[in-house]
Amino acid sequence: AIAGAPSWLQYAGGSPTPEERRAMLPVSGMHLIQNSTNTDFRFFHGTRDPGPMRPAFVRELEATMTGLGLTPHVQWFDFGHDLLYLVHRHGRAYEGWAGVVRNRHPRDVRVVTGDYRANRQHWVTVERIDDFPRLANVHAVADDGSITVQTEQALEVSLDLRDAPIGSGDALRVTVDGTEVYQGPRAPLGHVLHVARAGGVASGAWRTGFLPAPSGFEKRPGLSGPLTDPYRDGMIHVYGTRDPAALEGLRAAAQRGARGWPVWLWNHQQRVVADSEVTPAMMRRSHLVLYGTPGANSVLEQIADDLPVRVTTDAVEVGGRAFRGAGVGTRFVHPNPLAPNRYVVVQAAPTLQGVSGGHNLPDFLPDWVVYDGRTSRSRQRLISGRNGQVAMGFFDATWRVPTQVTAEAGPADTLERLAVLGGDEGSVLFAQAGAESERAAPRSARRMVASLSGTHAASEDLERAREEQRRVLGAPRGFVVPRIVLQQEPAPQLPPAEAPPVPSAPTAFAADASDPAGRIARQIAQRVPTFLNFRGIIPGGEWRVDPRAVWQVRGESDCRAALREAGVTATAEPPMATPVPSPVHVSGPIGGVVFRMMRGRATPFVVSCELARRLPTLARVLRQHGIRGVNVLSAYRTTPAQSFHGLGLGLDLFSFETDDGSTLRVDRDFEETPAQRTCDALDASAPSSQRLLRVACDLAATWEFSSVLTPNYNDGHRNHFHIDVRPDDPRVFIR
């Protein structure tokens, strides 16, 4: 690799959405670098490369490889970007490389993939991925007479026994994730052994064989999405002719699309035909790109009932939500119901303006996107950037819109999804929560809607918060910050508190820039000011300001030494997908308190070292109130983007186990006080509610937590306490 950017995330910069991140990771070398095992992988870069292929990006690649136990072979030149002649030396470089020989039968094989077109390394193939295109990781080791496999996010794996170095004996033992799936003679297995877990990653046991055949569409190799996947094959662009008034506009849209796809390919013209000219042979041979307004494209009308996105005369409907507005439209990919081994890509809208707007989408897209006249006003090259999008997402394994969280929520994983939707920084799209179980106290359904369409009137406080975000971002006054509309029951009866001034950006850091935690600290200092100050617009919040609350991210070794001194049992984690300073996996009791993730072993208790160092303080407060166990709803997670969970600095606490054997559940036992500030509230009627209230307020009084959020905060926090820690910030907030 010569003068490249190891990751599209580095190259794109900005703040990609979680969906854009998921689309970029499967094609970003940094995150697939374990695939270079058994490969003589070399990288050449210039120390004076002016960017956007920055030398710092390659330094990060070197650190990532070293952390994974790989040896980076990077050769640096005191030069700029154009290294072609310096590397090749007029062909002489090939003489030195001629002796490199591939090991055709490696014992140790690793596969990391979120792309079915790149799912094999040597004798290991990832056949199915859970929650595609999330990255799956498979590590297989062959010994004489045995194969041991460890997996993450994989549902089906195949092993080519012809290339695996398992010796010449007649017997074979195969173990997957600790489960013995086969032991016996090799002959009945044939050349390729398939193993699968039919029940899914959460509960399915591995066995030999294949996943069961689906009754309808499924994501599979060659038919998996996302929107860019059809670009690899032939496409025919089809315009609708059934509406004479729209015919010329749709033809123009198809002709433009035929010249502009696939990305990064110039002087390429794909075929354009009318809907009346499409034949079954065309559909068997090529993917179709369908352009239409309601009723205008006969091919689209023929398959509309089998598609998960619908366009009406005034809206785009996805998963029970209707999106309206000037220039609203959609682009999405789906298997062609008339030719199930090929795709259709639909670019449709209520109006011709909306159809045309689909040409101004960026390169990295999930399965479906809804845009409008504002977001498609101009084209961003890689990600949406400041344009944003109205909505976007991935379809599930059966090509349907993932199920929404509803009032019937109950299992722990659904509760965690509710917390994610609720968000900590106002990034909710929709969440509705009712009684989470039969034991929960009855309560009316509540909701909190954050409208991203900009069509609702904002309050004076919300507009002030939006203006502050414009200022921090350095955006022009005309830049649209998403408006947020709160509908909450019981209705808040207090105004927002006067928020203290936002602290200025730090000019010095506790950790050197060469330290991994120091690099992350500087990233956090740049990222946090872009977060909407949602705490500043919540009714009834209480602010406290004191220099004692200020702390800074320590160097990696310093923080981990502090953990050991505090008696916190934790192991180092590899770098996270988001900037987390010194991530650690916490295990074992702390100060007499046991912390358990609600989803068990499927979700490890991972936080930043700095938050882990504050767990003894949390445990001390809990022990003062007779609590010996905590069920953690959420620790580190990557969504929502504006959340301290994504920095490893946030924690959601669902329930507490007491010394007397009872359980305190926040959703059931905390009594909300919309007319009173949280820690000034009168004693609740129930002792359990009084106990939870004292826990929350005592945590704020330690000055070691920047936010303590209870169900008083908003509907997204009806079922948990959220705490977080924020570097270089003297403010403590409780609601």
Side-chain angles (χ1 to χ4, degrees), residues 457-533:
S459 72
E460 201 172 295
D461 294 306
L462 289 167
E463 189 55 46
R464 192 161 53 242
R466 286 152 54 85
E467 186 57 42
E468 171 65 15
Q469 193 179 32
R470 285 193 195 95
R471 184 192 66 76
V472 170
L473 291 172
R477 184 167 183 81
F479 172 60
V480 178
V481 177
R483 293 186 179 232
I484 299 172
V485 177
L486 304 183
Q487 297 179 358
Q488 186 168 330
E489 297 176 8
Q493 299 174 33
L494 294 173
E498 187 66 33
V502 177
S504 57
T507 57
F509 294 86
D512 189 82
S514 61
D515 187 283
R519 290 197 300 271
I520 297 291
R522 287 158 176 80
Q523 293 177 34
I524 291 174
Q526 292 178 337
R527 176 177 288 208
V528 169
T530 69
F531 291 4
L532 179 66
N533 183 17

Side-chain angles (χ1 to χ4, degrees), residues 480-719:
V480 178
V481 177
R483 293 186 179 232
I484 299 172
V485 177
L486 304 183
Q487 297 179 358
Q488 186 168 330
E489 297 176 8
Q493 299 174 33
L494 294 173
E498 187 66 33
V502 177
S504 57
T507 57
F509 294 86
D512 189 82
S514 61
D515 187 283
R519 290 197 300 271
I520 297 291
R522 287 158 176 80
Q523 293 177 34
I524 291 174
Q526 292 178 337
R527 176 177 288 208
V528 169
T530 69
F531 291 4
L532 179 66
N533 183 17
F534 203 56
R535 298 185 300 178
I537 57 178
I538 286 293
E542 179 184 354
W543 292 91
R544 305 169 186 175
V545 180
D546 195 293
R548 288 178 293 174
V550 176
W551 60 278
Q552 289 198 318
V553 174
R554 287 169 281 197
E556 200 167 75
S557 59
D558 291 343
C559 189
R560 288 175 181 161
L563 277 190
R564 292 190 294 270
E565 184 180 345
V568 178
T569 303
T571 55
E573 286 283 304
M576 300 285 105
T578 53
V580 177
S582 308
V584 294
H585 177 189
V586 179
S587 58
I590 299 172
V593 177
V594 175
F595 293 82
R596 301 185 185 90
M597 295 299 295
M598 288 186 63
R599 298 184 68 177
R601 295 180 180 178
T603 305
F605 186 17
V606 173
V607 293
S608 78
C609 177
E610 294 293 354
L611 179 54
R613 177 60 185 85
R614 287 158 175 76
L615 293 178
T617 300
L618 171 59
R620 175 174 53 80
V621 171
L622 296 178
R623 289 303 302 146
Q624 289 172 355
H625 294 280
I627 293 171
R628 57 184 173 87
V630 181
N631 288 312
V632 179
L633 182 65
S634 180
Y636 168 73
R637 64 174 189 254
T638 58
T639 57
Q642 290 196 2
S643 171
F644 278 76
H645 285 281
L647 308 176
L649 300 175
L651 205 58
D652 291 341
L653 312 177
F654 178 76
S655 61
F656 305 88
E657 299 170 6
T658 65
D659 291 338
D660 61 11
S662 62
T663 299
L664 299 172
R665 280 181 44 165
V666 175
D667 64 327
R668 181 186 61 202
D669 298 321
F670 188 89
E671 187 174 307
E672 298 151 39
T673 54
Q676 298 167 301
R677 293 202 306 178
T678 300
C679 291
D680 292 340
L682 300 175
D683 284 344
S685 56
S688 58
S689 182
Q690 294 179 24
R691 199 171 181 181
L692 285 174
L693 179 64
R694 289 197 295 270
V695 167
C697 296
D698 287 352
L699 286 174
T702 66
W703 294 97
E704 291 207 26
F705 302 99
S706 305
S707 303
V708 179
L709 311 182
T710 75
N712 281 334
Y713 184 70
N714 64 16
D715 281 311
H717 294 77
R718 295 295 185 186
N719 63 353

Side-chain angles (χ1 to χ4, degrees), residues 148-477:
T148 303
V149 184
Q150 293 292 324
T151 75
E152 295 177 9
Q153 294 296 128
L155 293 176
E156 183 179 330
V157 176
S158 65
L159 308 172
D160 193 325
L161 304 181
R162 293 168 294 185
D163 288 335
I166 51 179
S168 57
D170 294 332
L172 179 65
R173 180 175 184 264
V174 180
T175 303
V176 185
D177 292 340
T179 299
E180 183 182 277
V181 297
Y182 184 81
Q183 183 166 11
R186 288 171 53 180
L189 299 178
H191 293 318
V192 180
L193 171 64
H194 283 254
V195 294
R197 54 193 321 170
V201 167
S203 59
W206 285 100
R207 57 175 177 77
T208 59
F210 303 83
L211 290 175
S215 57
F217 295 117
E218 73 158 336
K219 288 192 172 183
R220 57 180 174 79
L223 212 68
S224 60
L227 263 163
T228 49
D229 195 57
Y231 295 175
R232 277 111 170 146
D233 301 311
M235 296 192 291
I236 298 175
H237 295 252
V238 182
Y239 60 91
T241 61
R242 295 178 61 180
D243 181 357
L247 190 153
E248 289 306 319
L250 295 176
R251 191 204 314 265
Q255 290 171 339
R256 181 181 173 190
R259 293 190 301 271
W261 295 1
V263 290
W264 309 313
L265 188 62
W266 289 268
N267 298 321
H268 178 67
Q269 176 69 51
Q270 294 173 328
R271 189 175 178 187
V272 177
V273 303
D275 54 1
S276 57
E277 299 173 353
V278 174
T279 66
M282 288 181 184
M283 291 188 285
R284 288 193 300 269
R285 186 173 61 249
S286 304
H287 308 308
L288 300 186
V289 185
L290 305 178
Y291 300 84
T293 52
N297 190 308
S298 60
V299 180
L300 181 55
E301 292 300 306
Q302 190 176 354
I303 63 176
D305 290 341
D306 295 315
L307 300 177
V309 180
R310 178 175 292 274
V311 177
T312 67
T313 56
D314 69 338
V316 173
E317 298 178 355
V318 187
R321 290 175 286 170
F323 299 93
R324 296 179 173 85
V328 70
T330 182
R331 190 198 292 176
F332 64 93
V333 65
H334 190 272
N336 186 345
L338 302 176
N341 291 322
R342 293 290 179 181
Y343 288 113
V344 288
V345 176
V346 176
Q347 187 166 316
T351 64
L352 287 174
Q353 175 197 359
V355 176
S356 180
H359 292 308
N360 280 342
L361 299 179
D363 294 341
F364 286 104
L365 299 168
D367 293 339
W368 61 270
V369 179
V370 177
Y371 52 87
D372 62 16
R374 179 186 62 82
T375 65
S376 62
R377 176 171 53 213
S378 61
R379 186 178 186 276
Q380 306 292 310
R381 182 188 165 194
L382 299 176
I383 60 176
S384 298
R386 289 186 174 180
N387 278 13
Q389 297 299 339
V390 174
M392 62 171 64
F394 289 91
F395 297 124
D396 65 16
T398 58
W399 287 97
R400 295 284 122 189
V401 179
T403 305
Q404 296 286 344
V405 178
T406 67
E408 287 72 38
D413 58 336
T414 305
L415 293 173
E416 185 172 28
R417 289 177 59 213
L418 177 61
V420 171
L421 284 170
D424 304 314
E425 299 297 336
S427 52
V428 177
L429 293 181
F430 181 80
Q432 177 176 316
E436 273 74 34
S437 75
E438 294 179 359
R439 295 177 298 163
R443 71 167 51 142
S444 60
R446 303 156 172 132
R447 62 182 182 152
M448 175 178 178
V449 178
S451 169
L452 304 184
S453 65
T455 59
H456 299 281
S459 72
E460 201 172 295
D461 294 306
L462 289 167
E463 189 55 46
R464 192 161 53 242
R466 286 152 54 85
E467 186 57 42
E468 171 65 15
Q469 193 179 32
R470 285 193 195 95
R471 184 192 66 76
V472 170
L473 291 172
R477 184 167 183 81

